[in-house]
Amino acid sequence: MSNKWKKAVSALTLAAAAFSFAVATPQEASAQVKGHLSKVQVIKKAPVYTNYKKGKKTHKYLKKGSVKKVKATATDTKKKVWIKVGTKKWIASKYTVVITTTAQRKAKSSSITKAANQAAKAANKAAQAASQAAQSASQAAKAAKQATAALTTNQVNQAASSQAPAGSSWQQSRVVSLAKAQVGKAYVWGATGPSSFDCSGLVQWVYKNAVGKTVSRTTYTQVYEGVNVTVSTSSLQPGDLLFWGNAAAPYHVAIYVGNGQYVSAADEQQGVILATLSSYYWPTVARRLL
């Protein structure tokens, strides 16, 4: 191998080593950094001088790995950077690396302050949302309490009625006539007429179109309308509503048309039918709306 080739290989090796050290180690204190040096770490045993200008050695050394606060920095006539780490204690920057700078500390402090402000804003928004939710819940509870009180009062008043009043004969006749006219039409769950019905939809549509009376939509609410009637053929009158199932939440309703018969939107197979009361399928509740 020629001397030129050896020198080239040696130069490449040194360059690679220098590159590796530059990548693997922190920024040297002698390099220009943003902000004044704040702390440095000794990476090699560093001799201590009394001054950076022709200072004398103190025969003291800083150990490798030790961290020092920077009191001041200076550059001598040979452009060599020095770091003051104490009273009359100077070391060459080549023995150190930068740990932090004042600019880095300020940036870190600013970042922490910004994060704290954002967290405070988020907490404030969460508190406002919780307060609004609490107010909404309170209003809903108040409305529910008022509705319950109104329903209870209505039930008490109805129960207090000792005898159901007799309905108007012409109104009864019109309800019965219109109810019977729907026999044979289709049953569709949720339908309210006029071509198809479910049980409560039939009641609502017949009363509205026969006598102009507004009736609520479901069996659960219709069972509380009007006044209570004894469920017997001797007490029932045409136009009375018949309910099956739980008295507080019945599953089916029909219109009594007299002579022990009723019109009902039964189911999808039967549609709207005219049926006769049976002991095997006897109503649990009867209500009079007329």
Side-chain angles (χ1 to χ4, degrees):
M1 183 181 294
S2 65
N3 289 333
K4 290 184 179 180
W5 179 251
K6 288 180 179 180
K7 288 181 180 180
V9 172
S10 177
L12 287 172
T13 302
L14 290 173
F19 176 78
S20 175
F21 179 78
V23 172
T25 59
Q27 188 177 19
E28 289 186 10
S30 59
Q32 291 184 359
V33 293
K34 187 177 181 180
H36 299 293
L37 300 181
S38 177
K39 285 184 180 180
V40 292
Q41 184 177 28
V42 179
I43 58 172
K44 186 178 180 182
K45 186 178 179 181
V48 179
Y49 289 78
T50 59
N51 199 304
Y52 74 95
K53 291 183 178 179
K54 298 181 180 180
K56 296 180 180 180
K57 281 188 179 181
T58 61
H59 302 292
K60 294 182 179 180
Y61 295 84
L62 295 184
K63 294 181 180 180
K64 178 181 178 180
S66 59
V67 176
K68 294 293 180 180
K69 289 184 178 180
V70 177
K71 304 295 184 181
T73 59
T75 304
D76 61 18
T77 55
K78 296 181 180 180
K79 296 185 179 181
K80 183 178 180 181
V81 179
W82 292 82
I83 298 174
K84 187 178 182 180
V85 295
T87 304
K88 293 184 179 182
K89 291 182 180 180
W90 292 79
I91 59 174
S93 65
K94 66 180 181 179
Y95 296 109
T96 65
V97 291
V98 177
I99 298 299
T100 58
T101 68
T102 52
Q104 290 171 337
R105 286 193 304 175
K106 290 179 181 178
K108 184 177 181 181
S109 177
S110 175
S111 177
I112 292 173
T113 301
K114 185 177 180 181
N117 290 337
Q118 290 176 341
K121 289 181 180 179
N124 187 41
K125 287 183 179 179
Q128 290 178 351
S131 178
Q132 291 175 352
Q135 290 178 357
S136 297
S138 177
Q139 292 173 353
K142 185 177 180 181
K145 185 176 181 180
Q146 292 174 344
T148 301
L151 178 60
T152 302
T153 301
N154 186 39
Q155 291 174 340
V156 170
N157 291 338
Q158 292 174 357
S161 178
S162 59
Q163 183 178 1
S168 169
S169 59
W170 73 268
Q171 289 180 318
Q172 292 175 345
S173 297
R174 294 193 64 171
V175 168
V176 169
S177 177
L178 188 58
K180 286 183 176 180
Q182 309 314 307
V183 173
K185 290 187 177 180
Y187 174 98
V188 176
W189 187 85
T192 57
S195 59
S196 60
F197 304 91
D198 64 9
C199 63
S200 57
L202 175 65
V203 170
Q204 184 185 55
W205 186 86
V206 167
Y207 265 85
K208 182 66 176 178
N209 289 277
V211 295
K213 185 175 182 62
T214 300
V215 179
S216 59
R217 176 64 187 87
T218 69
T219 58
Y220 305 118
T221 53
Q222 289 175 359
V223 75
Y224 292 114
E225 296 191 39
V227 293
N228 192 56
V229 180
T230 303
V231 186
S232 67
T233 52
S234 60
S235 300
L236 293 172
Q237 292 185 9
D240 289 347
L241 302 186
L242 306 177
F243 296 89
W244 285 262
N246 188 302
Y251 64 83
H252 190 60
V253 62
I255 301 174
Y256 184 69
V257 295
N259 300 319
Q261 294 182 314
Y262 60 88
V263 172
S264 165
D267 54 36
E268 293 179 351
Q269 287 73 35
Q270 301 178 79
V272 180
I273 61 172
L274 175 65
T276 301
L277 287 171
S278 168
S279 59
Y280 297 103
Y281 188 56
W282 197 257
T284 52
V285 178
R287 306 291 294 186
R288 182 163 298 157
L289 305 186
L290 300 176

